[in-house]
Amino acid sequence: MSRKERKRLAIMVGVKRDELTLVQAAGLTSLSYRQVKRVWRRYQDQGDAGLVHRLRGRASARRLAPELRARILARVEARYPDFGPTLAAEYLLQEGLKVDHETLRRWLLAEGTREVRRRRQKHRQWRERKPCFGAMVQLDGSDHDWFEGRRERAVLMVMVDDATGQVWAQFFEGETTRASYDMFEGWVRRWGLPQSVYVDRDSIYRCEGVGSIAEQLAGKEPQTQFGRAMEQLGVELILANSPQAKGRVERMNGTLQDRLVKALRLEGIRELGAANQYLRKTFLPALNRRFKVKPASAADVHRAAPQRLDEVLSWEEERVVQGDWTISCNNCWYQLDPQHESLSLVRRKVIVRTLRSGAIQLVYRGAQLRYRQLPGRPQRQAPRSNPVKAVRIGKPLTEHPWRRFASGIGPGREFWRKQKENGQAARRQLSLGNSGRPPLRSGLPPFPRDNCKPKQLTQ
């Protein structure tokens, strides 16, 4: 019995015991007096079973035919075995088999081919959508086996507008700076520059290194190439602290991993070019019609795209002009044109800009410089200087005065050494004979003792 039926049973028991009248029972059950009389009559005839609803256990008059149910279940198991009830119902409708997704879910649960999956939920603080289209766009890459082994794994770059849920996606071989540039350019060409871009803390968007001394003195954090491009375009780059912070694009990745994989399987697509074409022409328009919502404000805050968007979405590096007016970057050397001689570019910093097409631009203070690429590294000439004569250092010749005594020509070094020794010996003998005292360390004789006595005065 249901709760409602058990309540009626208690009231009918009170009527049976003469504790309640039928009028009072009608007021307690919110039924009319005539209906209470019918309920009381069924209770008297059938007992407790008379209070159970007559349609319980009987088939509904709105149910689908058993043949249609069997046909739908067979079609789902044959063509859509891993589809969810909602997605399978949408594809069945295209085949002319109309069934509600909740009815299909109950059928699958009854057949035992599906199980109820309950996910643990964590508390999250809800963030309200942005009010206008273009106020914030979330960007993320999803690495997944999109083609189910028909080719190598690929990355689907996805952009979702926070206010409307508008989706733009494209396949790439990997999540790189170039892929982010191409995705952002695709969005800008269609709708314009958004006010902000919400991304994760990948190395494409966040620089892990330490800034230069000039950046530290200016109080600026080091930027990646994507961050530098967003700053030049005036687009705020917001870094998410967790995947749940940009949950809108994360949930869209999950939706695409379910729907897009199956759509590519049914279409038999196995190449990136064909997959991107299918996304642009067929899948994304239908997906946006299905999930796009109306924003709180009808205003579109996208800005017009700049004329030289490809020059901003590029790679820029600073290089110093050498004394021979050459610049080296990535093992390539560039010779500046002589027409820029008035700029005095030697020892000045020039920006080397590499476009996605592979073209190279040299930029100084916003103006492009003319140059020619050298086939190799230029040969550096040694600086000119006055030659210094080498001084020859060797032994003195035989006729040198120092070597005359040794060769018998005349007195030399040995002769004067012996003369010095003889003189020192003579001075020592003289000093011992006069004072009887040893000589001083300096070799000079000591003063005689008689010189130390005071002189006597004469009468």
Side-chain angles (χ1 to χ4, degrees), residues 21 27 85 107 115 154 182 190 224 269 276-277 294 310 316 333 343 345 356 403 406:
T21 64
W107 287 356
E115 295 181 358
D182 293 343
R190 285 164 176 79
T224 61
I269 298 176
N276 288 328
Q277 184 177 3
K294 185 178 181 180
D310 56 335
E316 294 185 356
W333 286 265
L343 298 177
L345 296 177
R356 284 171 291 165
R403 300 174 63 90

Side-chain angles (χ1 to χ4, degrees), residues 397-398 400-415:
L397 301 177
T398 305
H400 195 275
W402 287 0
R403 300 174 63 90
R404 287 179 182 178
F405 181 79
S407 59
I409 299 177
R413 184 181 301 175
E414 298 294 333
F415 173 79

Side-chain angles (χ1 to χ4, degrees), residues 78-261:
R79 187 171 176 82
Y80 316 114
D82 55 346
F83 283 40
T86 303
L87 184 59
E90 293 180 6
Y91 278 92
L92 289 172
L93 182 61
Q94 298 178 4
E95 299 180 10
L97 301 176
K98 183 178 181 181
V99 61
D100 187 72
H101 61 90
E102 281 298 320
T103 302
L104 181 59
R105 183 183 67 85
R106 289 194 298 268
W107 287 356
L108 295 175
L109 290 176
E111 292 291 329
T113 58
R114 298 291 190 275
E115 295 181 358
V116 179
R117 295 180 298 175
R118 301 188 182 276
R119 301 178 181 178
R120 296 182 59 185
Q121 298 182 357
K122 295 182 180 180
H123 178 267
R124 303 292 180 187
Q125 184 176 359
W126 180 78
R127 178 181 62 82
E128 186 177 0
R129 287 177 178 264
K130 295 295 182 181
C132 303
F133 178 48
M136 184 173 71
V137 177
Q138 299 184 13
L139 170 63
D140 190 30
S142 178
D143 185 4
H144 185 68
D145 188 12
W146 296 97
F147 299 89
E148 299 178 315
R150 297 188 299 275
R151 71 175 306 277
E152 295 78 9
R153 294 174 67 95
V155 173
L156 180 67
M157 301 291 291
V158 183
M159 295 185 71
V160 180
D161 181 69
D162 190 74
T164 62
Q166 181 80 29
V167 181
W168 170 248
Q170 193 172 358
F171 281 108
F172 296 92
E173 293 292 348
E175 186 175 2
T176 60
T177 302
R178 182 185 181 87
S180 300
Y181 280 163
D182 293 343
M183 275 297 298
F184 187 79
E185 183 182 18
W187 183 279
V188 172
R189 298 298 184 190
R190 285 164 176 79
W191 296 288
L193 282 175
Q195 298 293 324
S196 61
V197 178
Y198 206 4
V199 295
D200 54 18
R201 292 182 173 268
D202 192 86
S203 58
I204 300 175
Y205 315 109
R206 179 175 180 263
C207 184
E208 299 290 345
V210 180
S212 61
I213 298 178
E215 291 177 345
Q216 295 179 13
L217 293 177
K220 297 177 58 178
E221 295 184 357
Q223 293 179 326
T224 61
Q225 293 291 337
F226 190 86
R228 185 266 315 159
M230 295 300 103
E231 183 180 7
Q232 292 182 359
L233 293 174
V235 178
E236 182 183 5
L237 185 64
I238 305 175
L239 302 177
N241 293 321
S242 65
Q244 291 78 11
K246 52 182 184 63
R248 208 169 307 284
V249 68
E250 294 288 350
R251 290 189 295 271
M252 181 54 63
N253 287 338
T255 303
L256 294 175
Q257 289 176 7
D258 179 40
R259 290 172 170 260
L260 182 57
V261 169

Side-chain angles (χ1 to χ4, degrees), residues 375-435:
R377 183 174 183 175
Q379 299 296 329
R380 309 291 182 183
Q381 297 181 358
R384 297 181 179 179
S385 60
N386 295 328
V388 179
K389 295 182 179 180
V391 179
R392 181 177 178 273
I393 300 176
K395 296 182 179 180
L397 301 177
T398 305
E399 56 273 12
H400 195 275
W402 287 0
R403 300 174 63 90
R404 287 179 182 178
F405 181 79
S407 59
I409 299 177
R413 184 181 301 175
E414 298 294 333
F415 173 79
W416 292 112
R417 184 180 295 114
K418 290 181 178 179
Q419 292 294 327
K420 183 178 180 179
E421 293 177 354
N422 294 336
Q424 291 178 353
R427 285 195 294 273
R428 285 196 296 269
Q429 292 295 333
L430 181 60
S431 62
L432 292 175
N434 294 338
S435 60

Side-chain angles (χ1 to χ4, degrees), residues 165-166 281-293:
Q166 181 80 29
K281 296 184 178 180
T282 306
F283 187 83
L284 289 180
L287 185 74
N288 288 323
R289 287 193 301 267
R290 176 71 173 80
F291 293 103
K292 185 178 178 181
V293 299

